[in-house]
Amino acid sequence: MIKIALCTDTYYMMACGPCVVSIFEHHRKVPCHIYVITKALPQVDVEGLEEIATRYGGLLTVKVIEPEIVQGLKVSDRFRESIYYRFLLPDLFPDEEKMLYMDCDILVNDSLQELWKTDIEGYACAVVEDQEADDITLQNRIGVYGAPYFNSGVLLVNMGYWRKHNVACRLVEFIREHPEKCLFPDQDALNVVLHGAVKYLPYGYNFQDLWYTRDYQWVRLHASKFKEVERWKEHPVVVHFAGGGKPWKKDCNHPFTPYYLECLAKTKWTVARYKKVREETTPLYGGSSKTSHKYIRRFNRLLAVFVIETIAFVVYWFCSAR
């Protein structure tokens, strides 16, 4: 049985719901168990996930956790606390030796059986190179060289290795001690801590959005790899909306946006609900969006008053001096 972990909160159900649908769509005859890891999820969201699993006759478990070890780590509107829950998988599932982790902004486009069968003996996990894996600025920032920078959106985790080498604590420690290096917090930490201990998978198991650009010369990937990227472009196994062009946004022109909308239509979530949650949720450094926006507006008003009064004073002083 394929064991798959997704980590989310109510803010990201617009992604999680369609991701779950896409998994079950391609595993009607292959048993898989989806674990949705969350700190808190409204009952309406839990029921929505359970309804999808029931419809497909699949297994899905919502696992509510208290992730004290990752509290206080660097978060933002884009990188929420839930990105760190993947660190905890070996401890959350002490009897499992392997787990397939996937980001929620992913769609499964074919069976995951071959990926699941990958031999990761002696490795921390199996990964796919990042879409800009050969960007030297990424490597300079985290201070790791000699291997391509990998994307953390798909991880076939060797749970025993993580437990033996205390990987979770080392990841948290790196982020706490080097926040200035962590532009992509979980991903940067994984690239540092697991350097030299990962097995690279074909691009089709985490096919990222920049690889759909027409002109590869602007993609920070060595030209020798373009042919392999092209091989997977038409039919990747896993589609990852890794950049800012998410398929639930109006201006997204990703070729798999229609597939996302098709999967979304088979859930109870809507774009309108996503926008409402985005306004009401608390994504930005522990404060709600509404609260944050209120203080930003107040600051802008004070700044405007200060500028106007300064200009008035300068004009008055200039006229008086004459």
Side-chain angles (χ1 to χ4, degrees):
M1 178 177 289
I2 303 174
K3 309 289 182 68
I4 302 170
L6 308 175
C7 301
T8 192
D9 54 26
T10 191
Y11 175 84
Y12 229 54
M13 291 309 297
M14 277 290 296
C16 185
C19 179
V20 168
V21 168
S22 72
I23 293 170
F24 284 137
E25 280 281 351
H26 290 92
H27 297 85
R28 294 176 183 269
K29 297 181 180 180
V30 178
C32 62
H33 193 154
I34 301 174
Y35 296 93
V36 177
I37 317 299
T38 182
K39 184 167 72 172
L41 208 57
Q43 185 59 29
V44 64
D45 288 336
V46 174
E47 292 172 355
L49 291 169
E50 291 175 343
E51 188 278 327
I52 295 171
T54 299
R55 189 190 330 144
Y56 286 96
L59 292 174
L60 183 144
T61 300
V62 176
K63 192 173 183 65
V64 179
I65 63 173
E66 296 181 6
E68 295 181 3
I69 187 175
V70 301
Q71 289 180 359
L73 294 183
K74 184 177 181 179
V75 296
S76 67
D77 191 16
R78 179 179 178 186
F79 300 112
R80 303 168 65 75
E81 186 187 82
S82 56
I83 66 173
Y84 301 119
Y85 299 166
R86 73 195 75 186
F87 296 174
L88 311 178
L89 291 177
D91 293 326
L92 294 175
F93 301 95
D95 297 326
E96 300 293 344
E97 288 304 314
K98 183 163 63 172
M99 183 72 70
L100 176 59
Y101 167 83
M102 294 195 302
D103 280 354
C104 288
D105 55 351
I106 271 175
L107 293 176
V108 172
N109 191 45
D110 209 330
S111 173
L112 297 169
Q113 274 188 296
E114 291 304 313
L115 170 57
W116 180 252
K117 293 177 183 177
T118 301
D119 182 8
I120 52 175
E121 181 69 28
Y123 293 96
C125 55
V127 300
V128 175
E129 291 185 26
D130 189 73
Q131 56 192 354
E132 300 193 278
D134 299 317
D135 183 357
I136 191 62
T137 62
L138 291 175
Q139 299 174 23
N140 285 341
R141 177 165 49 77
I142 62 176
V144 171
Y145 308 93
Y149 182 88
F150 63 84
N151 186 276
S152 63
V154 176
L155 305 171
L156 183 61
V157 181
N158 182 338
M159 307 277 262
Y161 184 103
W162 282 48
R163 297 186 196 103
K164 179 180 178 180
H165 296 275
N166 201 23
V167 170
C169 289
R170 291 164 59 200
L171 290 167
V172 171
E173 182 180 1
F174 177 80
I175 296 171
R176 291 195 192 282
E177 293 183 356
H178 304 283
E180 77 287 352
K181 293 184 178 182
C182 297
L183 182 60
F184 309 107
D186 63 301
Q187 188 165 280
D188 290 336
L190 284 161
N191 271 272
V192 172
V193 173
L194 301 184
H195 180 64
V198 299
K199 184 174 188 174
Y200 288 93
L201 296 164
Y203 298 132
Y205 289 125
N206 183 356
F207 202 86
Q208 299 148 61
D209 44 8
L210 278 184
W211 290 335
Y212 282 106
T213 57
R214 294 181 179 179
D215 191 350
Y216 282 155
Q217 70 169 315
W218 302 111
V219 177
R220 297 180 181 95
L221 199 68
H222 195 281
S224 63
K225 301 175 182 178
F226 293 166
K227 185 176 180 180
E228 184 65 13
V229 169
E230 283 290 325
R231 188 171 79 84
W232 288 100
K233 182 176 287 188
E234 291 301 317
H235 192 82
V237 177
V238 175
V239 179
H240 188 184
F241 300 95
K246 306 301 185 186
W248 51 86
K249 294 184 178 180
K250 189 175 181 180
D251 58 348
C252 182
N253 59 0
H254 192 288
F256 276 85
T257 296
Y259 178 42
Y260 165 80
L261 296 175
E262 178 185 326
C263 291
L264 178 65
K266 296 176 182 178
T267 76
K268 65 190 308 177
W269 294 281
T270 64
V271 173
R273 185 178 182 279
Y274 160 76
K275 292 179 179 177
K276 184 175 186 295
V277 170
R278 185 176 183 181
E279 292 174 354
E280 295 177 349
T281 193
T282 58
L284 195 56
Y285 299 101
S288 71
S289 292
K290 286 187 174 181
T291 302
S292 301
H293 293 163
K294 178 181 71 175
Y295 288 124
I296 291 173
R297 289 194 297 269
R298 184 179 298 174
F299 173 78
N300 288 340
R301 287 196 297 269
L302 291 173
L303 181 61
V305 170
F306 173 76
V307 171
I308 292 172
E309 289 184 348
T310 300
I311 293 173
F313 174 78
V314 171
V315 171
Y316 173 77
W317 178 84
F318 180 77
C319 292
S320 299
R322 294 183 64 186

